Amino acid sequence: MTDQFDAQLNEALDSVRDMLPANALLRLEAKLRQVHAERPDLKGSEVVNIAFDVFEGEAIDARLAMEEARARVDEAAAAEARLASMQRVAERSAELDAVEARYPGRATLAEALTDAGISWAYLGLTDEDGVLAEEIRRGFGK
């Protein structure tokens, strides 16, 4: 039975040898041999079908793992950006306090800055930093 499988395997591999890179051919052969070892009762065509189904499943698993990894990287980048923003706001807290004290009664820091003729950029802050500064001042920056 193994001799028959080896003959079928060699014939199948010969038919695709020119189409596949060497590493893909080795991977295909290994997968076919693995499936055959686990299910020696199957015909060659069934072994090939199962091997390709396994490759599809592995590709899907790899794609999902990459998406999860990308999401973790994005989350880490967002956390790092938020931390950098918090540091910039903390570095400018004295200036923000002074503007807020000079223009009391304004609903937001942005309004106080506008009345003072100062922009977030003038203080070395981005608009996103300004949103965070407002959140921190209202107690939502946690």
Side-chain angles (χ1 to χ4, degrees), residues 53-141:
D53 287 345
V54 169
F55 283 143
E56 272 186 51
E58 289 173 350
I60 290 168
D61 291 345
R63 193 172 22 255
L64 291 173
M66 287 295 293
E67 289 172 6
E68 288 175 18
R70 188 175 302 121
R72 284 193 300 273
V73 166
D74 291 347
E75 287 173 14
E80 188 175 314
R82 183 167 174 86
L83 178 61
S85 182
M86 290 176 84
Q87 289 173 333
R88 287 189 299 272
V89 169
E91 290 169 359
R92 297 294 181 249
S93 64
E95 291 95 331
L96 295 172
D97 289 343
V99 170
E100 209 169 32
R102 189 161 182 225
Y103 296 92
R106 303 309 188 273
T108 64
L109 270 171
E111 287 179 12
L113 289 172
T114 299
D115 289 349
I118 298 173
S119 67
W120 293 114
Y122 178 79
L123 295 173
L125 301 172
T126 65
D127 289 339
E128 291 80 16
D129 294 341
V131 171
L132 180 62
E134 298 281 4
E135 289 177 0
I136 291 170
R137 298 282 170 143
R138 289 191 312 248
F140 299 119

Coordinates of all heavy atoms in Angstrom, one line a residue, residues 53-141:
D53 N -7.3 21.0 2.0 CA -8.2 21.6 3.0 C -7.4 22.0 4.2 O -7.7 23.1 4.8 CB -9.2 20.5 3.4 CG -10.3 20.3 2.3 OD1 -10.4 21.1 1.4 OD2 -11.0 19.3 2.4
V54 N -6.4 21.3 4.6 CA -5.6 21.6 5.8 C -4.8 22.9 5.5 O -4.8 23.8 6.4 CB -4.7 20.5 6.2 CG1 -3.6 20.9 7.2 CG2 -5.4 19.3 6.7
F55 N -4.3 23.0 4.3 CA -3.6 24.2 3.9 C -4.5 25.5 4.0 O -4.1 26.5 4.5 CB -3.0 24.1 2.5 CG -1.7 23.3 2.4 CD1 -1.5 22.5 1.3 CD2 -0.8 23.3 3.5 CE1 -0.3 21.8 1.2 CE2 0.4 22.6 3.4 CZ 0.6 21.8 2.3
E56 N -5.7 25.3 3.5 CA -6.7 26.4 3.6 C -7.0 26.8 5.0 O -7.0 28.0 5.3 CB -8.0 26.0 2.9 CG -8.1 26.3 1.4 CD -9.5 26.0 0.8 OE1 -10.4 26.5 1.4 OE2 -9.5 25.3 -0.2
G57 N -7.2 25.8 5.9 CA -7.4 26.1 7.3 C -6.2 26.8 7.9 O -6.4 27.7 8.7
E58 N -5.0 26.3 7.6 CA -3.8 26.9 8.1 C -3.7 28.4 7.7 O -3.3 29.3 8.4 CB -2.6 26.1 7.8 CG -2.5 24.8 8.5 CD -1.3 24.0 7.9 OE1 -0.7 24.3 6.9 OE2 -1.0 22.9 8.6
A59 N -4.1 28.6 6.4 CA -4.0 30.0 5.9 C -5.0 30.9 6.6 O -4.7 32.0 6.9 CB -4.3 30.0 4.4
I60 N -6.2 30.4 6.9 CA -7.2 31.1 7.6 C -6.7 31.4 9.0 O -6.8 32.5 9.5 CB -8.5 30.4 7.6 CG1 -9.2 30.4 6.2 CG2 -9.5 31.0 8.6 CD1 -10.3 29.4 6.1
D61 N -6.1 30.4 9.7 CA -5.6 30.6 11.0 C -4.5 31.6 11.0 O -4.4 32.5 11.9 CB -5.1 29.3 11.6 CG -6.2 28.3 11.9 OD1 -7.3 28.7 11.9 OD2 -5.8 27.1 12.1
A62 N -3.6 31.6 10.0 CA -2.5 32.5 9.9 C -3.1 34.0 9.7 O -2.6 34.9 10.4 CB -1.6 32.2 8.8
R63 N -4.1 34.1 8.9 CA -4.7 35.4 8.6 C -5.3 36.0 9.9 O -5.1 37.1 10.2 CB -5.7 35.3 7.5 CG -6.1 36.6 6.9 CD -7.0 36.5 5.7 NE -7.7 35.2 5.4 CZ -7.3 34.3 4.5 NH1 -6.2 34.5 3.8 NH2 -8.0 33.2 4.4
L64 N -6.0 35.1 10.6 CA -6.6 35.5 11.9 C -5.6 35.9 12.9 O -5.7 36.9 13.6 CB -7.5 34.4 12.5 CG -8.8 34.2 11.7 CD1 -9.5 32.9 12.3 CD2 -9.7 35.4 11.7
A65 N -4.5 35.2 13.0 CA -3.4 35.5 13.9 C -2.8 36.8 13.5 O -2.4 37.6 14.4 CB -2.4 34.4 13.9
M66 N -2.6 37.1 12.2 CA -2.0 38.3 11.8 C -3.0 39.5 12.1 O -2.5 40.6 12.6 CB -1.8 38.3 10.3 CG -0.6 37.5 9.9 SD 1.0 38.1 10.5 CE 1.1 39.6 9.6
E67 N -4.2 39.3 12.0 CA -5.2 40.4 12.3 C -5.2 40.7 13.8 O -5.2 41.8 14.2 CB -6.6 40.0 11.8 CG -6.8 40.0 10.3 CD -8.1 39.4 9.9 OE1 -9.0 39.1 10.7 OE2 -8.3 39.3 8.6
E68 N -5.1 39.6 14.6 CA -5.0 39.8 16.1 C -3.7 40.5 16.4 O -3.7 41.4 17.3 CB -5.1 38.5 16.8 CG -6.5 37.8 16.7 CD -6.5 36.4 17.4 OE1 -5.6 36.1 18.1 OE2 -7.5 35.7 17.1
A69 N -2.6 40.1 15.8 CA -1.4 40.8 16.1 C -1.4 42.3 15.7 O -0.9 43.1 16.4 CB -0.2 40.1 15.4
R70 N -2.0 42.5 14.5 CA -2.1 43.9 14.0 C -3.0 44.7 15.0 O -2.6 45.9 15.3 CB -2.7 43.9 12.6 CG -2.7 45.3 12.0 CD -3.2 45.3 10.6 NE -2.4 44.4 9.7 CZ -2.9 43.3 9.1 NH1 -4.2 43.0 9.1 NH2 -2.2 42.6 8.3
A71 N -4.0 44.1 15.5 CA -4.9 44.8 16.5 C -4.1 45.1 17.8 O -4.2 46.2 18.3 CB -6.1 44.0 16.8
R72 N -3.3 44.2 18.2 CA -2.5 44.4 19.4 C -1.5 45.5 19.2 O -1.3 46.4 20.1 CB -1.8 43.1 19.9 CG -2.8 42.2 20.6 CD -2.0 41.1 21.3 NE -1.2 40.3 20.4 CZ -1.6 39.2 19.7 NH1 -2.8 38.8 19.8 NH2 -0.7 38.5 19.0
V73 N -0.9 45.5 18.0 CA 0.1 46.6 17.7 C -0.6 47.9 17.6 O -0.1 48.9 18.2 CB 0.8 46.3 16.3 CG1 1.5 47.5 15.8 CG2 1.7 45.1 16.5
D74 N -1.8 48.0 17.0 CA -2.6 49.2 17.0 C -3.0 49.7 18.3 O -2.9 50.9 18.6 CB -3.8 49.0 16.1 CG -3.5 48.9 14.6 OD1 -2.4 49.1 14.2 OD2 -4.4 48.4 13.9
E75 N -3.4 48.8 19.2 CA -3.7 49.2 20.6 C -2.5 49.7 21.3 O -2.6 50.7 22.1 CB -4.3 48.0 21.3 CG -5.7 47.6 20.9 CD -6.1 46.2 21.5 OE1 -5.5 45.8 22.5 OE2 -7.1 45.7 21.1
A76 N -1.4 49.1 21.1 CA -0.2 49.5 21.8 C 0.2 50.9 21.3 O 0.6 51.8 22.1 CB 1.0 48.5 21.6
A77 N 0.1 51.1 20.0 CA 0.4 52.4 19.4 C -0.5 53.5 19.9 O -0.1 54.6 20.2 CB 0.4 52.4 17.9
A78 N -1.8 53.2 20.1 CA -2.8 54.1 20.6 C -2.5 54.5 22.0 O -2.5 55.6 22.4 CB -4.2 53.6 20.4
A79 N -2.1 53.5 22.8 CA -1.8 53.7 24.2 C -0.5 54.5 24.3 O -0.4 55.4 25.2 CB -1.6 52.4 24.9
E80 N 0.5 54.3 23.5 CA 1.7 55.1 23.5 C 1.4 56.5 23.1 O 1.9 57.5 23.7 CB 2.7 54.5 22.5 CG 4.1 55.1 22.6 CD 5.1 54.3 21.7 OE1 5.1 53.1 21.7 OE2 5.8 55.0 21.0
A81 N 0.6 56.7 22.1 CA 0.2 58.1 21.7 C -0.6 58.8 22.8 O -0.3 60.0 23.0 CB -0.7 58.0 20.4
R82 N -1.4 58.1 23.5 CA -2.2 58.7 24.6 C -1.3 59.1 25.7 O -1.4 60.2 26.3 CB -3.3 57.8 25.1 CG -4.2 58.4 26.2 CD -5.4 57.6 26.4 NE -6.2 58.0 27.5 CZ -7.1 59.0 27.5 NH1 -7.4 59.5 26.3 NH2 -7.8 59.3 28.5
L83 N -0.3 58.2 26.0 CA 0.7 58.6 27.0 C 1.5 59.8 26.7 O 1.7 60.7 27.5 CB 1.6 57.4 27.3 CG 2.7 57.6 28.3 CD1 2.1 57.9 29.7 CD2 3.6 56.3 28.4
A84 N 1.9 59.8 25.4 CA 2.7 61.0 25.0 C 1.9 62.3 25.0 O 2.4 63.3 25.4 CB 3.2 60.8 23.5
S85 N 0.6 62.2 24.7 CA -0.3 63.3 24.8 C -0.5 63.7 26.2 O -0.4 64.9 26.5 CB -1.7 62.9 24.2 OG -2.6 64.0 24.2
M86 N -0.6 62.8 27.1 CA -0.8 63.1 28.6 C 0.5 63.8 29.1 O 0.4 64.8 29.9 CB -1.1 61.8 29.4 CG -2.4 61.3 29.1 SD -2.7 59.7 30.0 CE -3.2 60.4 31.6
Q87 N 1.6 63.4 28.6 CA 2.9 64.0 29.0 C 3.0 65.5 28.5 O 3.4 66.4 29.2 CB 4.1 63.2 28.5 CG 4.2 61.9 29.3 CD 5.3 61.0 28.7 OE1 5.6 61.1 27.5 NE2 5.9 60.1 29.5
R88 N 2.6 65.7 27.2 CA 2.6 67.0 26.7 C 1.6 67.9 27.5 O 1.9 69.1 27.8 CB 2.2 67.0 25.2 CG 3.3 66.5 24.3 CD 3.0 66.7 22.9 NE 1.8 66.1 22.4 CZ 1.8 64.8 22.0 NH1 2.9 64.1 21.9 NH2 0.6 64.3 21.6
V89 N 0.4 67.4 27.8 CA -0.5 68.2 28.6 C 0.0 68.5 30.0 O -0.1 69.6 30.4 CB -1.9 67.5 28.7 CG1 -2.8 68.1 29.7 CG2 -2.6 67.4 27.3
A90 N 0.6 67.5 30.6 CA 1.2 67.7 31.9 C 2.3 68.8 31.9 O 2.4 69.6 32.8 CB 1.7 66.4 32.5
E91 N 3.1 68.8 30.8 CA 4.2 69.8 30.7 C 3.6 71.2 30.5 O 4.3 72.2 30.8 CB 5.1 69.4 29.5 CG 5.9 68.2 29.7 CD 6.6 67.7 28.4 OE1 6.4 68.3 27.4 OE2 7.3 66.7 28.5
R92 N 2.4 71.3 30.0 CA 1.8 72.6 29.8 C 0.8 73.0 30.8 O 0.0 74.0 30.7 CB 1.2 72.7 28.4 CG 2.2 72.5 27.3 CD 3.1 73.7 27.2 NE 4.1 73.6 26.2 CZ 5.4 73.3 26.3 NH1 5.9 73.2 27.5 NH2 6.2 73.2 25.3
S93 N 0.7 72.2 31.9 CA -0.4 72.4 32.9 C -0.3 73.8 33.5 O -1.3 74.5 33.8 CB -0.4 71.3 33.9 OG 0.8 71.4 34.7
A94 N 0.9 74.3 33.7 CA 1.0 75.7 34.3 C 0.5 76.7 33.4 O -0.3 77.6 33.9 CB 2.5 76.0 34.6
E95 N 0.8 76.6 32.1 CA 0.2 77.6 31.2 C -1.3 77.5 31.1 O -2.0 78.5 31.0 CB 0.8 77.4 29.8 CG 2.3 77.8 29.7 CD 3.2 76.6 29.9 OE1 2.9 75.6 30.6 OE2 4.4 76.6 29.3
L96 N -1.8 76.3 31.1 CA -3.2 76.0 31.0 C -3.9 76.6 32.2 O -5.0 77.2 32.2 CB -3.5 74.5 30.8 CG -3.1 74.0 29.5 CD1 -3.3 72.4 29.5 CD2 -3.8 74.6 28.3
D97 N -3.3 76.3 33.4 CA -3.9 76.9 34.7 C -3.9 78.4 34.6 O -4.9 79.0 35.0 CB -3.0 76.5 35.9 CG -3.1 75.0 36.2 OD1 -4.1 74.3 35.7 OD2 -2.3 74.5 36.9
A98 N -2.8 79.0 34.1 CA -2.8 80.5 34.0 C -3.9 81.0 33.1 O -4.6 82.0 33.4 CB -1.4 80.9 33.6
V99 N -4.1 80.4 31.9 CA -5.1 80.9 31.0 C -6.5 80.7 31.6 O -7.3 81.6 31.6 CB -5.0 80.1 29.7 CG1 -6.2 80.4 28.8 CG2 -3.7 80.5 28.9
E100 N -6.7 79.6 32.3 CA -8.0 79.3 32.9 C -8.3 80.3 34.0 O -9.4 80.8 34.2 CB -7.9 77.8 33.5 CG -9.3 77.2 33.5 CD -9.2 75.7 33.8 OE1 -8.3 75.3 34.6 OE2 -10.0 75.0 33.3
A101 N -7.2 80.7 34.8 CA -7.4 81.6 35.9 C -7.7 83.0 35.3 O -8.4 83.8 35.9 CB -6.1 81.6 36.8
R102 N -7.0 83.3 34.2 CA -7.2 84.7 33.6 C -8.6 84.8 33.0 O -9.0 86.0 32.8 CB -6.1 84.9 32.6 CG -6.0 86.3 32.1 CD -4.7 86.6 31.5 NE -4.7 88.0 31.0 CZ -4.3 88.4 29.9 NH1 -3.7 87.5 29.0 NH2 -4.3 89.7 29.5
Y103 N -9.2 83.7 32.5 CA -10.5 83.8 31.9 C -11.4 82.9 32.6 O -11.8 81.8 32.0 CB -10.3 83.4 30.4 CG -9.5 84.4 29.6 CD1 -8.1 84.2 29.5 CD2 -10.0 85.5 29.1 CE1 -7.3 85.1 28.8 CE2 -9.3 86.5 28.4 CZ -7.9 86.2 28.3 OH -7.1 87.1 27.6
P104 N -11.8 83.2 33.8 CA -12.7 82.3 34.5 C -14.1 82.3 33.9 O -14.5 83.2 33.2 CB -12.8 83.0 35.9 CG -12.5 84.4 35.7 CD -11.5 84.5 34.5
G105 N -14.8 81.3 34.2 CA -16.2 81.1 33.8 C -16.4 80.6 32.4 O -17.5 80.5 31.9
R106 N -15.3 80.3 31.7 CA -15.4 79.7 30.4 C -15.8 78.3 30.5 O -15.3 77.6 31.4 CB -14.1 79.8 29.6 CG -13.5 81.3 29.4 CD -14.6 82.2 28.9 NE -14.1 83.5 28.5 CZ -13.9 84.5 29.3 NH1 -14.2 84.4 30.6 NH2 -13.5 85.7 28.9
A107 N -16.6 77.8 29.6 CA -17.1 76.4 29.7 C -16.0 75.4 29.4 O -16.0 74.3 30.0 CB -18.3 76.2 28.8
T108 N -15.0 75.8 28.6 CA -14.0 74.9 28.2 C -12.6 75.6 28.2 O -12.6 76.8 28.1 CB -14.2 74.2 26.8 OG1 -14.2 75.3 25.9 CG2 -15.5 73.5 26.8
L109 N -11.6 74.8 28.2 CA -10.2 75.4 28.0 C -10.1 76.0 26.7 O -9.5 77.0 26.5 CB -9.2 74.3 28.2 CG -8.6 74.0 29.6 CD1 -7.7 72.8 29.6 CD2 -7.8 75.2 30.0
A110 N -10.7 75.4 25.7 CA -10.7 75.9 24.3 C -11.2 77.3 24.2 O -10.7 78.2 23.5 CB -11.4 74.9 23.3
E111 N -12.3 77.5 24.9 CA -12.9 78.9 24.9 C -12.0 79.8 25.6 O -11.8 81.0 25.1 CB -14.3 78.8 25.7 CG -15.4 78.2 24.9 CD -16.7 78.2 25.7 OE1 -16.8 78.9 26.7 OE2 -17.6 77.4 25.3
A112 N -11.4 79.5 26.7 CA -10.4 80.3 27.4 C -9.2 80.7 26.5 O -8.8 81.8 26.4 CB -10.0 79.7 28.7
L113 N -8.7 79.6 25.8 CA -7.6 79.9 24.9 C -8.0 80.8 23.8 O -7.2 81.7 23.4 CB -7.1 78.5 24.3 CG -6.3 77.6 25.3 CD1 -6.1 76.3 24.7 CD2 -5.1 78.3 25.8
T114 N -9.2 80.6 23.2 CA -9.7 81.5 22.1 C -9.8 82.9 22.6 O -9.3 83.8 21.9 CB -11.0 81.0 21.6 OG1 -10.9 79.6 21.1 CG2 -11.6 81.9 20.5
D115 N -10.3 83.1 23.8 CA -10.4 84.5 24.4 C -9.1 85.1 24.6 O -8.9 86.3 24.5 CB -11.3 84.5 25.7 CG -12.7 84.2 25.4 OD1 -13.2 84.2 24.2 OD2 -13.5 83.9 26.4
A116 N -8.1 84.2 24.9 CA -6.7 84.7 25.2 C -6.0 84.9 23.9 O -4.8 85.4 23.9 CB -6.0 83.7 26.1
G117 N -6.5 84.4 22.7 CA -5.9 84.5 21.4 C -4.7 83.5 21.3 O -3.8 83.8 20.6
I118 N -4.9 82.4 22.0 CA -3.8 81.4 22.0 C -4.4 80.1 21.4 O -5.6 79.7 21.7 CB -3.3 81.1 23.4 CG1 -2.7 82.4 24.0 CG2 -2.4 79.9 23.5 CD1 -2.4 82.2 25.5
S119 N -3.6 79.4 20.6 CA -4.1 78.1 20.1 C -3.4 77.0 20.8 O -2.4 77.2 21.5 CB -3.7 78.1 18.6 OG -2.3 78.0 18.4
W120 N -3.9 75.8 20.6 CA -3.3 74.6 21.2 C -1.8 74.5 20.7 O -0.9 74.2 21.4 CB -4.1 73.3 20.9 CG -5.4 73.3 21.5 CD1 -6.6 73.3 20.9 CD2 -5.7 73.1 22.9 NE1 -7.6 73.1 21.8 CE2 -7.1 73.0 23.1 CE3 -4.9 73.0 24.1 CZ2 -7.7 72.9 24.3 CZ3 -5.6 72.9 25.3 CH2 -6.9 72.8 25.4
A121 N -1.7 74.8 19.4 CA -0.4 74.6 18.7 C 0.6 75.6 19.3 O 1.8 75.3 19.5 CB -0.5 74.9 17.2
Y122 N 0.2 76.8 19.7 CA 1.1 77.8 20.3 C 1.7 77.3 21.6 O 2.8 77.6 21.9 CB 0.3 79.1 20.6 CG 1.1 80.2 21.2 CD1 2.0 80.9 20.5 CD2 1.1 80.4 22.6 CE1 2.8 81.9 21.1 CE2 1.8 81.4 23.2 CZ 2.7 82.1 22.5 OH 3.5 83.1 23.1
L123 N 0.9 76.4 22.3 CA 1.4 75.8 23.5 C 2.1 74.5 23.3 O 2.6 73.9 24.2 CB 0.2 75.5 24.5 CG -0.5 76.8 25.0 CD1 -1.8 76.3 25.8 CD2 0.4 77.6 25.9
G124 N 2.3 74.2 22.0 CA 3.0 72.9 21.7 C 2.1 71.7 21.8 O 2.6 70.6 22.0
L125 N 0.8 71.9 21.7 CA -0.2 70.8 21.9 C -1.0 70.7 20.6 O -1.1 71.6 19.8 CB -1.2 71.1 23.0 CG -0.6 71.3 24.4 CD1 -1.6 71.8 25.4 CD2 0.1 70.1 24.9
T126 N -1.4 69.4 20.3 CA -2.3 69.2 19.2 C -3.7 69.3 19.6 O -4.0 69.5 20.8 CB -2.1 67.7 18.7 OG1 -2.5 66.8 19.7 CG2 -0.6 67.4 18.3
D127 N -4.6 69.3 18.6 CA -6.0 69.4 18.9 C -6.4 68.2 19.8 O -7.3 68.3 20.7 CB -6.9 69.4 17.6 CG -6.7 70.8 16.9 OD1 -6.4 71.8 17.6 OD2 -7.0 70.8 15.7
E128 N -5.8 67.0 19.5 CA -6.1 65.8 20.3 C -5.7 66.0 21.7 O -6.3 65.5 22.6 CB -5.5 64.6 19.6 CG -6.1 64.1 18.3 CD -5.6 65.0 17.1 OE1 -4.6 65.7 17.2 OE2 -6.3 64.9 16.1
D129 N -4.5 66.6 21.9 CA -4.0 66.9 23.2 C -5.0 67.8 23.9 O -5.3 67.7 25.1 CB -2.7 67.7 23.2 CG -1.5 66.8 22.6 OD1 -1.7 65.6 22.6 OD2 -0.5 67.4 22.2
G130 N -5.6 68.8 23.2 CA -6.6 69.7 23.8 C -7.8 68.9 24.2 O -8.4 69.2 25.3
V131 N -8.3 67.9 23.5 CA -9.4 67.1 23.9 C -9.1 66.4 25.2 O -9.9 66.3 26.1 CB -9.8 66.1 22.7 CG1 -10.9 65.1 23.2 CG2 -10.4 66.9 21.5
L132 N -7.9 65.8 25.2 CA -7.4 65.1 26.4 C -7.3 66.0 27.6 O -7.7 65.7 28.7 CB -6.1 64.4 26.1 CG -5.6 63.6 27.3 CD1 -6.5 62.5 27.7 CD2 -4.2 63.0 27.0
A133 N -6.8 67.2 27.4 CA -6.7 68.2 28.5 C -8.1 68.5 29.0 O -8.3 68.6 30.2 CB -6.0 69.5 28.0
E134 N -9.0 68.7 28.1 CA -10.4 69.0 28.6 C -10.9 67.8 29.4 O -11.6 68.0 30.4 CB -11.4 69.2 27.4 CG -11.0 70.4 26.5 CD -11.5 71.7 27.1 OE1 -12.0 71.8 28.2 OE2 -11.3 72.7 26.4
E135 N -10.7 66.6 28.9 CA -11.1 65.4 29.7 C -10.5 65.3 31.0 O -11.2 65.0 32.0 CB -10.8 64.1 28.9 CG -11.6 63.9 27.6 CD -11.2 62.7 26.8 OE1 -10.3 62.0 27.3 OE2 -11.8 62.4 25.8
I136 N -9.2 65.5 31.1 CA -8.5 65.5 32.4 C -9.1 66.5 33.3 O -9.3 66.3 34.5 CB -7.0 65.7 32.1 CG1 -6.4 64.5 31.4 CG2 -6.3 65.9 33.5 CD1 -5.0 64.7 30.9
R137 N -9.3 67.7 32.8 CA -9.8 68.8 33.7 C -11.2 68.5 34.2 O -11.6 68.9 35.3 CB -9.8 70.1 32.9 CG -8.5 70.6 32.4 CD -7.7 71.3 33.6 NE -6.3 71.5 33.2 CZ -5.7 72.6 33.5 NH1 -6.2 73.5 34.3 NH2 -4.4 72.7 33.1
R138 N -11.9 67.7 33.4 CA -13.3 67.4 33.8 C -13.3 66.0 34.6 O -14.3 65.6 35.1 CB -14.2 67.3 32.6 CG -14.6 68.6 32.0 CD -15.7 68.5 31.0 NE -15.4 67.4 30.1 CZ -15.2 67.5 28.8 NH1 -15.1 68.7 28.2 NH2 -15.0 66.5 28.0
G139 N -12.1 65.4 34.7 CA -12.0 64.1 35.4 C -12.3 62.9 34.6 O -12.6 61.8 35.2
F140 N -12.3 63.0 33.3 CA -12.6 61.8 32.5 C -11.4 61.2 31.8 O -11.4 60.3 31.0 CB -13.6 62.1 31.3 CG -14.9 62.6 31.9 CD1 -15.4 63.9 31.6 CD2 -15.7 61.8 32.7 CE1 -16.6 64.3 32.1 CE2 -16.9 62.2 33.2 CZ -17.4 63.5 32.8
G141 N -10.2 61.7 32.1 CA -9.0 61.3 31.4 C -8.4 60.0 31.9 O -7.3 59.7 31.6

